Amino acid sequence: MCERHRGPCWGGRGLRRRPQCVLGSVVPAYGGNSASAPQASRSYRYLTTKEHFHEFLEAKGQEKPSQETEAGDPAGNDLAEPEAKRIRLEDGQTEDGQTEEAVEPREQPQAQKRARGQNKCRPHVKPTHYDKNRLCPSLVQESAAKCFYGDRCRFLHDVGRYLETKPADLGPHCVLFETFGRCPYGVTCRFAGAHLGPEGQNLVKEGLAQAPPVRNGLDKVLQQQLRKRKIHFKRAEQALRQLSKGQLPGPTPEATVPEVMEAEGAPGQDNCDAQQAPQGPGTVAPPSGPLRTCGPLTDEDVVRLQPCEKKRLDISGKLYLAPLTTCGNLPFRRVCKRFGADVTCGEMAVCINLLQGQTSEWALLKRHPCEDVFGVQLEGAFPDTMTKCAELLNRTIEVDFVDINVGCPIDLVYKKGGGCALMNRSAKFQQIVRGMNQVLDVPLTVKLRTGVHERVNLAHRLLPELRDWGAALVTLHGRSREQRYTRLADWRYIEQCVTAASPMPLFGNGDILSYEDANRAMQTGVAGIMIARGALLKPWLFTEIKEQRHWDISSSERLDILRDFAHYGLEHWGSDTQGVEKTRRFLLEWLSFLCRYVPVGLLERLPQRINERPPYYLGRDYLETLMASQKAADWIRISEMLLGPVPPNFVFLPKHKANAYK
């Protein structure tokens, strides 16, 4: 414990520093006559103070960092970490040695109180707000038919008037036009100058491939039937009846797809008269439509698969990207796939919202062609909704597995009986697993935590039951709901659970930020590892694990990764104002995690630990320093390098307060 810094010396946390604390005194890290003295200039140029850090960024890197900067500020403002980042110690003590109960309320810094939980009342402006005068989709798509709504349409039909109020283009190159040969957003594209002719017509490049189909889109006809509750779930209802009688659900006499109550157009039928909304490059025709195939006919749609005939999920030894709410979107998964992720999973989707046909919830199920092993994660609290949702997805989307979320710790889910609450509701949990397993033709997996309370582990008792209920694979996060991220993941307990789950494969999850962490995790006997926050901090972690090395990635390479994400986002969400601002929002959310990464070349000790927070430091160039900033204003500056200037009155606050340091 360092008395000067009132906490552990930052030198012990691995960052190269100028001073070295020894018993509370500050001495140079290298003596004047030491043989290692020539290395001193490189070793002590990184650490800095909070004030100097932000002064350096505000000066836009024109001034070089002063070599005379001392580690300790004369006024007492040392190089200690920001108050909002103080780590709760394992023994329940603060960094000054006092217990939490002994600290008086007046001594608690105000910043620490703001650094917990979520920003529930954060200002959020929808992307549609930035484009008040929107052009009618019939004109954007250059459709020959007139607008269906006629005079009642709330959009503009005068292209000239729209162009008068349209903001200036954000750049000279359109990603959609250069990649796919045609931009479906026409004059509304924020890069329209790249593909508009002299008379305002939308140009087309011949010879370029069309946009790759993103699967698992929501059919408009199916959405209408879901909203009107005109679909029957015969297999789900039969399985639920058997479960209510205490019987194990058996094979149904015949496999039936969700039926429509009235002959108004089944999900698999074409409805040519229905007006479709404008389709971007990320949406295609539903997979339930008739397909021209070659080869022998199969009876998979008539004969129900027996449990022993169900496809097995063989992903042992593969790198599994965790389903990440908000940040685990399709463009981010494409980035991780490029760096070596083997298995991907969509963001957590609420089953009730899917059954109601909500477009925003169905968007979480979309799958890019590069995702060769892909699953979706469902959240629900009751057997009827979860089983019906499983039957619906089984016939409408293409996935390799379906995962049940039994690890979500947030109150909104927990208080309704979902997420971690299912671990204490074993009867409902059993009915959910058995019912979903009965109606699915793909494997069913489960993701859960060690338990609800900190010292009351439940996973080792649930794993044998999950194996008997029909789960094909279970992923165990080595923390309880009560712990959240205030403790390290308990890999010793995960090792005990491997034996309890055998022969069912068990994946482990928690605190993996380097290939060394991954190697230690695999030594516990798990079938594989799931990576969550580690992928947010450094998506190239998958490459490091496969190549067994530390990658000292440069700031320009990191900026190229962000540029690829921006391009993927424009392809997925669109290149109009709404799509650009949606891409910017998700980019900023990701940047709130990326700022925690410390470059390998600046570390004195390898590897960086995921629970260690570095002090303020100056990088090897201005861009590296900017990427280490914890202020949202600097994240916005990075987004403007990729997506142009933000709209007037733009406000951003991260989703979690732990990322909202000021």
Side-chain angles (χ1 to χ4, degrees), residues 336-596:
C336 292
K337 283 294 295 184
R338 209 187 75 194
F339 283 108
D342 298 315
V343 184
T344 56
C345 186
E347 303 175 62
M348 181 189 74
V350 181
C351 66
I352 295 180
N353 297 340
L354 293 175
L355 291 173
Q356 293 175 350
Q358 293 187 13
T359 305
S360 58
E361 207 73 20
W362 277 81
L364 305 178
L365 310 179
K366 290 185 177 181
R367 174 182 186 176
H368 193 267
C370 71
E371 299 179 276
D372 47 354
V373 183
F374 175 76
V376 295
Q377 188 182 66
L378 299 181
E379 183 278 322
F382 302 101
D384 56 343
T385 54
M386 289 288 281
T387 306
K388 292 178 180 179
C389 185
E391 182 182 356
L392 175 66
L393 299 185
N394 189 62
R395 295 298 177 180
T396 56
I397 66 174
E398 300 177 16
V399 293
D400 298 297
F401 63 92
V402 175
D403 187 72
I404 304 177
N405 186 314
V406 196
C408 184
I410 64 174
D411 295 337
L412 182 64
V413 174
Y414 180 80
K415 291 181 179 180
K416 294 181 179 180
C420 284
L422 285 175
M423 302 185 71
N424 286 330
R425 304 169 65 222
S426 58
K428 295 295 184 184
F429 192 13
Q430 178 183 3
Q431 292 179 354
I432 289 175
V433 175
R434 288 189 182 276
M436 294 181 65
N437 188 50
Q438 174 62 23
V439 300
L440 284 173
D441 293 334
V442 295
L444 179 68
T445 65
V446 179
K447 184 177 185 295
L448 72 165
R449 289 177 177 252
T450 59
V452 178
H453 302 291
E454 184 171 351
R455 291 181 174 85
V456 184
N457 293 329
L458 301 174
H460 65 283
R461 287 185 286 179
L462 287 173
L463 287 172
E465 296 179 347
L466 286 170
R467 178 187 60 209
D468 298 335
W469 296 344
L473 180 144
V474 173
T475 303
L476 179 59
H477 184 186
R479 293 184 180 88
S480 65
R481 175 185 182 266
E482 193 176 67
Q483 289 173 330
R484 297 294 177 96
Y485 294 101
T486 60
R487 299 288 187 270
L488 295 176
D490 191 353
W491 279 93
R492 291 184 178 179
Y493 180 68
I494 295 178
E495 185 175 6
Q496 299 174 8
C497 291
V498 171
T499 305
S502 181
M504 179 182 64
L506 179 70
F507 270 55
N509 171 231
D511 298 340
I512 297 177
L513 192 59
S514 66
Y515 76 90
E516 297 167 342
D517 296 335
N519 293 343
R520 281 192 295 269
M522 292 300 296
Q523 292 174 1
T524 61
V526 294
I529 54 176
M530 173 183 282
I531 301 175
R533 287 184 300 161
L536 293 175
L537 270 65
K538 41 190 285 192
W540 56 92
L541 174 59
F542 301 99
T543 301
E544 291 187 350
I545 295 175
K546 291 189 173 182
E547 298 181 0
Q548 293 290 291
R549 67 182 177 94
H550 294 291
W551 186 354
D552 188 10
I553 189 169
S554 65
S555 59
S556 59
E557 291 175 310
R558 294 165 63 189
L559 185 64
D560 289 339
I561 296 174
L562 297 177
R563 183 176 290 107
D564 289 339
F565 176 87
H567 290 175
Y568 297 156
L570 294 176
E571 292 179 18
H572 183 59
W573 291 302
S575 59
D576 57 347
T577 300
Q578 182 176 349
V580 169
E581 295 311 316
K582 189 174 291 187
T583 302
R584 189 192 307 274
R585 176 204 160 198
F586 286 109
L587 175 63
L588 292 173
E589 293 284 359
W590 185 22
L591 285 171
S592 68
F593 287 92
L594 284 173
C595 66
R596 303 183 189 179

Side-chain angles (χ1 to χ4, degrees), residues 219-250:
D219 184 10
K220 291 296 182 181
V221 178
L222 175 61
Q223 182 183 38
Q224 184 180 16
Q225 293 163 357
L226 288 172
R227 290 176 174 177
K228 295 183 177 181
R229 299 183 180 180
K230 293 186 176 182
I231 293 182
H232 274 163
F233 304 93
K234 288 188 176 181
R235 280 164 51 184
E237 291 173 356
Q238 179 178 355
L240 292 171
R241 283 195 298 267
Q242 294 178 355
L243 290 171
S244 63
K245 296 178 181 178
Q247 302 175 359
L248 296 181

Side-chain angles (χ1 to χ4, degrees), residues 180-285:
F180 308 120
R182 179 182 179 274
C183 179
Y185 296 93
V187 295
T188 62
C189 176
R190 294 302 304 275
F191 310 89
H195 52 78
L196 287 184
E199 299 180 359
Q201 71 275 18
N202 198 18
L203 302 179
V204 178
K205 275 187 179 181
E206 300 294 340
L208 285 182
Q210 296 297 320
V214 176
R215 290 172 281 181
N216 302 346
L218 176 60
D219 184 10
K220 291 296 182 181
V221 178
L222 175 61
Q223 182 183 38
Q224 184 180 16
Q225 293 163 357
L226 288 172
R227 290 176 174 177
K228 295 183 177 181
R229 299 183 180 180
K230 293 186 176 182
I231 293 182
H232 274 163
F233 304 93
K234 288 188 176 181
R235 280 164 51 184
E237 291 173 356
Q238 179 178 355
L240 292 171
R241 283 195 298 267
Q242 294 178 355
L243 290 171
S244 63
K245 296 178 181 178
Q247 302 175 359
L248 296 181
T252 56
E254 59 179 6
T256 56
V257 298
E259 292 187 356
V260 185
M261 296 175 61
E262 297 181 9
E264 225 178 77
Q269 297 177 348
D270 292 334
N271 191 352
C272 300
D273 298 331
Q275 183 186 23
Q276 299 290 335
Q279 298 289 328
T283 57
V284 294

